[in-house]
């Protein structure tokens, strides 16, 4: 099922940031979001993930199909790598965590507490969570932050495998992942500032 | 749901999880009371039910600010909100985990502390019964307060100000059950009121908590 976005307008903190956004994301495809800082990429991903309501427009085919990965990984420092991953697997319906550990080379860290991992290792664990959700659409917000070059390649392989299985991905990133993907620049959709309140206008 | 409850219990028992803090606070507050009012056993035994209830209530309050704030800080709440689990059951499980790690130990410790305050013998059963019926409401109301203040810096103090007035009905009827029980009087009316308040809180507040959490996550 295709994710379709029609005439979407979104706001952050009550201020409109993007408007008139239209795109479709078919199974097996990836879409890279680009745009300067503050353009509204994170807000767009959060809106599509259902964390906040859109100002206007329609989102179709997103309900209960999205695995969202934001800036924080949602890891508990006092749980081990396995326990963290097992928890998310259980919440999303009890999948095997072994393939996820393998895909991000977390096997030898499995018994380590998440609080003792490096920033890049935490990120890898956060991304491994996507694999245990079993959700078809990945929404990734700057997924490669603090990853080294090998880990970025690992991540790109995981995304390719996911696309190969009929999944899709929407990725906000500033680096080249080497994926065959369309690019959506959100710059042209920037919302025009609302007209200033002018209470005296009628009199002048 | 069970996974969330299990995770919260494991986190509470691991280092820095805060299990036992409420219990230790309850113990210290109760031990301080005889020091402040003096060693008059008649006075102590007449104020014992109220003091024990107030101590238990404050001990419950102590761990509330961590209830949702930690999950908010590390992004877990965002991820849980996009998970197949409805937020209503997330907050219910959070409240249940809070009760199991804070409320239940208080209920079990209260009779021991009752001895320190010279609680009359018939009061022990009713003290335990009233706490057992009342503390779940404290956890559920507290979860609602935690959902209201999630994401606020220094939300803990505001949380106390919001939650303490909401604790008043539970405190009134809970302490009344214990007091009447200790005095050997009829306890049915306050007991039914206490049970009713708890049942209503458990039935209604998870929906309110989930609704404010959705607003706060935006």
């Amino acid at each position: 099922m295709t994710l379709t976005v029609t005439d979407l307008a979104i706001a952050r903190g009550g201020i409109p940031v993007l408007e008139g956004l239209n795109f479709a994301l078919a199974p097996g495809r990836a879409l890279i979001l680009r745009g300067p800082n503050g353009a509204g990429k994170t807000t767009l991903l959060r809106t599509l993930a259902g964390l906040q309501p859109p100002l206007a427009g329609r989102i179709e085919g997103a309900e209960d199909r999205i695995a969202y990965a934001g800036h924080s990984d949602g890891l508990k420092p006092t749980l081990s790598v396995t326990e963290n991953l097992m928890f998310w697997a259980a919440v999303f319906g009890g999948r095997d965590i072994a393939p996820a550990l393998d895909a991000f080379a977390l096997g030898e860290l499995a018994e380590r507490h998440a609080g003792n991992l490096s920033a890049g290792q935490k990120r890898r664990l956060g991304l491994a969570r996507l694999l245990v959700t079993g959700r078809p659409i990945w929404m990734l917000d700057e997924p490669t932050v603090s990853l080294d070059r090998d880990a970025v390649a690992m991540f790109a392989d995981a995304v390719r495998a996911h696309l190969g299985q009929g999944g899709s991905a929407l990725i906000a990133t500033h680096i080249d992942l080497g994926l065959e993907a369309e690019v959506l620049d959100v710059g042209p959709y920037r919302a025009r500032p609302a007209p200033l309140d002018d209470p005296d206008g009628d009199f002048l | 749901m069970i996974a969330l409850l299990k995770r919260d219990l494991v986190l509470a028992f691991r280092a820095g999880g805060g299990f036992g803090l409420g219990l230790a606070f309850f113990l210290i507050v109760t031990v301080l009371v005889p020091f402040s009012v003096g060693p008059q056993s008649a006075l102590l035994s007449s104020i014992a039910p109220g003091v024990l209830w107030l101590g238990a209530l404050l001990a419950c309050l102590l761990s509330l600010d961590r209830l949702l704030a930690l999950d908010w800080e590390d992004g877990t709440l965002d991820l849980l909100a996009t998970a197949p689990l409805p937020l209503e059951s997330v907050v219910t499980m959070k409240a249940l985990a809070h009760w199991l790690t804070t409320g239940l130990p208080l209920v079990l410790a209260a009779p021991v502390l009752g001895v320190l305050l010279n609680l009359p013998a018939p009061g022990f059963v009713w003290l335990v019964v009233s706490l057992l019926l009342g503390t779940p409401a404290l956890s559920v109301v507290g979860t609602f307060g935690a959902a209201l203040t999630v994401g606020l810096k220094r939300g803990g103090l505001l949380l106390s100000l919001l939650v303490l007035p909401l604790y008043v009905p539970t405190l009134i009827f809970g302490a009344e059950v214990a007091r009447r029980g200790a005095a050997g009087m009829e306890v049915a009316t306050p007991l039914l009121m206490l049970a009713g308040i708890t049942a209503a809180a458990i039935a209604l507040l998870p929906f309110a908590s989930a609704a404010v959490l959705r607003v706060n996550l935006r």
Side-chain angles (χ1 to χ4, degrees), chain A residues 46 68 74 76 78 83 135, chain B residues 14 71 74 78-79 82 217:
Chain A
R46 289 181 67 87
Y68 171 75
K76 291 292 169 193
T78 49
E83 285 169 325
R135 291 274 176 95
Chain B
R14 292 264 164 98
D71 277 347
D74 62 19
D78 279 348
L79 302 179
T82 56
L217 282 178

Side-chain angles (χ1 to χ4, degrees), chain A residues 30-181:
Chain A
L31 189 62
I32 307 281
L33 282 181
R34 290 209 200 274
N37 295 140
K41 300 186 294 296
T42 298
T43 312
L44 176 60
L45 290 175
R46 289 181 67 87
T47 309
L48 293 175
L51 287 168
Q52 60 178 71
L55 270 186
R58 281 207 315 279
I59 302 166
E60 280 157 34
E63 191 80 5
D64 281 341
R65 299 174 69 235
I66 286 177
Y68 171 75
H71 292 294
S72 344
D73 294 314
L75 304 176
K76 291 292 169 193
T78 49
L79 295 184
S80 72
V81 168
T82 318
E83 285 169 325
N84 268 298
L85 218 46
M86 292 276 268
F87 166 66
W88 288 111
V91 166
F92 280 91
R95 270 170 198 77
D96 188 15
I97 62 163
L101 286 175
D102 287 345
F104 287 94
L106 290 164
E108 52 193 54
L109 303 171
E111 298 309 317
R112 198 90 72 84
H113 279 195
N116 298 333
L117 299 181
S118 79
Q121 288 169 334
K122 279 183 190 159
R123 187 97 271 225
R124 265 153 59 195
L125 178 52
L127 293 170
R129 184 186 60 83
L130 293 167
L131 290 172
V132 301
T133 62
R135 291 274 176 95
I137 307 175
W138 289 1
M139 300 258 159
L140 314 178
D141 197 357
E142 304 278 4
T144 55
V145 171
S146 62
L147 289 185
D148 61 26
R149 197 185 304 160
D150 290 348
V152 170
M154 251 182 248
F155 165 68
D157 287 342
V159 173
R160 246 176 248 123
H162 178 64
L163 298 179
Q165 289 161 9
S168 51
L170 188 59
I171 308 171
T173 183
H174 296 287
I175 68 160
D176 183 18
L177 290 170
L179 290 171
E180 291 228 353

